[in-house]
Amino acid sequence: MNASQPVQKTGRITLREATRSDGRAIGRIYNDTLPPLREASLQATSPQDEPQAWASGICEGAEQRAAQSRIETIPDAMWDGWVQHHEEQRRPIWLAVEDGKPLGWISTIGFSERPNAVCTCELSIYVARAGWRRGIGSLLLSHALENAPRYGLDRLMAFIWEGNAASLGLFRSFGFEDWGCLPKVLWSENVRRDMHILGTVIQMPPRVVQGVAPARARQPEVECVG
């Protein structure tokens, strides 16, 4: 989804919380968003060019380096356990569905396993190619911001790759601010990339602020008519 493109909302999109049976569909959407595998640059490097990478053994050959820098698909079976983990940790995943077919999702990922970080989470959004430029990412993000307090969440973050202008534009349009940058921590398609950290603070209900977390209840479906 490109933030610079006009939004075209068509049909009826239903937002609902994902269940374990949605694991395969969630995985297919993720894999569908990955760029097609293309031959990465095979330009040879030397210890002088990348001393740390050579020391760690990832630059012993151009082919090996290229292979390790590609974004790989994740098998369907692995997503079932991923959804189950979200349920056990009280971290919802919301699906955008049209005519029974999931087109996108947003997940709340625990920022840290530390008990005192339970009010903070990372958001991840993926929209299948068939749903691009239809405002589905905006619908999902808006829904997550509205419902996060129900799960005791008031600090929401997004970790976005350098060069992902669509995601940066989407989150910033909802008031997310730049909270930091992890320089060159990513390795993709034979290139080192930064990881941008965006975040926002949302108002919590008084009883949550006082330390009483809201009860966990599955939400009803929400229809968004465009």
Side-chain angles (χ1 to χ4, degrees), residues 141-197:
L141 183 52
S142 176
H143 188 74
L145 289 169
E146 179 182 352
N147 289 279
R150 294 168 54 89
Y151 297 85
L153 301 172
D154 68 348
R155 263 66 175 175
L156 307 182
M157 298 186 297
F159 289 70
I160 302 175
W161 287 40
E162 174 187 358
N164 190 345
S167 291
L168 289 170
L170 172 63
F171 279 89
R172 285 170 177 159
S173 72
F174 277 84
F176 280 71
E177 301 175 340
D178 291 276
W179 281 8
C181 176
L182 303 177
K184 308 304 178 186
V185 297
L186 301 171
W187 184 270
S188 173
E189 296 183 332
N190 222 16
V191 177
R192 293 186 184 277
R193 304 178 191 274
D194 296 342
M195 176 74 85
H196 297 281
I197 305 174

Side-chain angles (χ1 to χ4, degrees), residues 93-116:
I93 305 170
W94 289 289
L95 283 177
V97 181
E98 182 178 49
D99 297 328
K101 180 180 179 180
L103 289 178
W105 52 268
I106 184 169
S107 68
T108 54
I109 305 171
F111 167 66
S112 172
E113 297 300 326
R114 296 180 176 87
N116 291 343

Side-chain angles (χ1 to χ4, degrees), residues 18-131:
T19 66
R20 298 183 191 184
S21 63
D22 295 310
R24 305 296 176 95
I26 289 172
R28 284 192 291 271
I29 291 172
Y30 171 84
N31 291 332
D32 185 51
T33 65
L34 299 182
L37 285 179
R38 57 182 180 271
E39 198 63 29
S41 170
L42 296 182
Q43 181 178 358
T45 62
S46 68
Q48 291 73 32
D49 296 329
E50 297 281 359
Q52 294 180 342
W54 274 81
S56 64
I58 66 173
C59 289
E60 295 176 353
E63 291 83 359
Q64 179 182 357
R65 185 182 186 196
Q68 291 188 2
S69 71
R70 288 171 174 161
I71 305 174
E72 300 290 346
T73 59
I74 299 177
D76 287 349
M78 295 183 62
W79 291 95
D80 295 334
W82 187 75
V83 176
Q84 179 179 348
H85 179 73
H86 273 71
E87 290 185 340
E88 293 171 348
Q89 298 299 315
R90 292 169 46 92
R91 300 294 190 185
I93 305 170
W94 289 289
L95 283 177
V97 181
E98 182 178 49
D99 297 328
K101 180 180 179 180
L103 289 178
W105 52 268
I106 184 169
S107 68
T108 54
I109 305 171
F111 167 66
S112 172
E113 297 300 326
R114 296 180 176 87
N116 291 343
V118 295
C119 292
T120 303
C121 80
E122 174 190 348
L123 298 177
S124 292
I125 299 177
Y126 289 89
V127 178
R129 295 174 188 271

